[in-house]
Amino acid sequence: MITRTLYLFASAAPPVFDVARVIESAQRAGWDVCLGLTPTAARWLGDSLDGLAVLTGHPVRWEYKLPGQPDVWPPADVIVVAPATFTTINAWAAGITDKFVVGVAAEAIGKGTPLIAMPCLNAAYARHPAFERSVGELRLAGVRVLHGPGGFEPGPPEGDDPVGYPWHLLLEELGAAGDVR
């Protein structure tokens, strides 16, 4: 089996706590997974970061490297941004790249790297006009955004945990993306 490299970039939303299971599923499908996190997601997973690095075989990253430092990851064949919060989607679409994962994903648009995103937000955020504009901008840039029917469908604003975040849809899409290369 030919190994392809997947950058899995996750924001601070409750499904981030399932990331080890998602990494294992992607690895079973032949992906070499590199995990990138927003700073808040890295804080949420703080006690698990060493174990996640062992699981992937790569350092978990949430900050840019310093000038002159070598890249510690192989080049990406596909980048997945999930769970992608309201903030991550809007910053990415606007080109605000102060966060490592957003900067790499923004640059990947220009490099032609296949990108898949699946938001994770509640219906109140999803109704904000900036969100729909941002999703539209990312789609125009060639990002496959799994939002709405056939993707993540936001739940009510009450509660902190989206019920049934559809990781399986993302993994199916990843399988199709891997077949293209």
Side-chain angles (χ1 to χ4, degrees):
M1 175 184 294
I2 297 173
T3 302
R4 301 148 300 173
T5 300
L6 166 66
Y7 288 5
L8 175 58
F9 289 163
S11 302
V16 77
F17 293 110
D18 293 329
V19 76
R21 184 180 54 78
V22 175
I23 290 167
E24 290 168 340
S25 294
Q27 288 172 329
R28 281 192 300 275
W31 292 96
D32 178 21
V33 182
C34 299
L35 179 62
L37 303 167
T38 63
T40 302
R43 193 173 76 243
W44 284 15
L45 296 176
D47 292 340
S48 303
L49 295 177
D50 290 340
L52 290 166
V54 169
L55 177 62
T56 63
H58 302 284
V60 178
R61 296 190 57 197
W62 59 90
E63 295 178 319
Y64 286 105
K65 66 182 184 66
L66 296 175
Q69 287 182 327
D71 273 331
V72 294
W73 289 354
D77 292 300
V78 176
I79 297 175
V80 167
V81 183
T85 61
F86 178 80
T87 300
T88 296
I89 292 288
N90 288 323
W92 185 11
I96 300 170
T97 61
D98 59 329
K99 307 277 186 304
F100 167 72
V101 296
V102 176
V104 173
E107 186 178 33
I109 290 171
K111 289 180 172 180
T113 305
L115 289 149
I116 304 165
M118 191 160 58
C120 184
L121 68 168
N122 67 44
Y125 280 120
R127 284 191 290 272
H128 191 286
F131 179 73
E132 281 305 320
R133 281 193 305 269
S134 294
V135 167
E137 286 293 320
L138 292 173
R139 286 178 172 156
L140 283 173
V143 178
R144 175 79 170 107
V145 182
L146 304 177
H147 169 67
F152 176 77
E153 297 196 44
E158 299 79 32
D160 201 20
D161 189 17
V163 176
Y165 188 72
W167 282 113
H168 67 282
L169 296 176
L170 186 69
L171 292 165
E172 290 168 12
E173 190 70 24
L174 183 57
D179 293 339
V180 172
R181 290 202 136 218

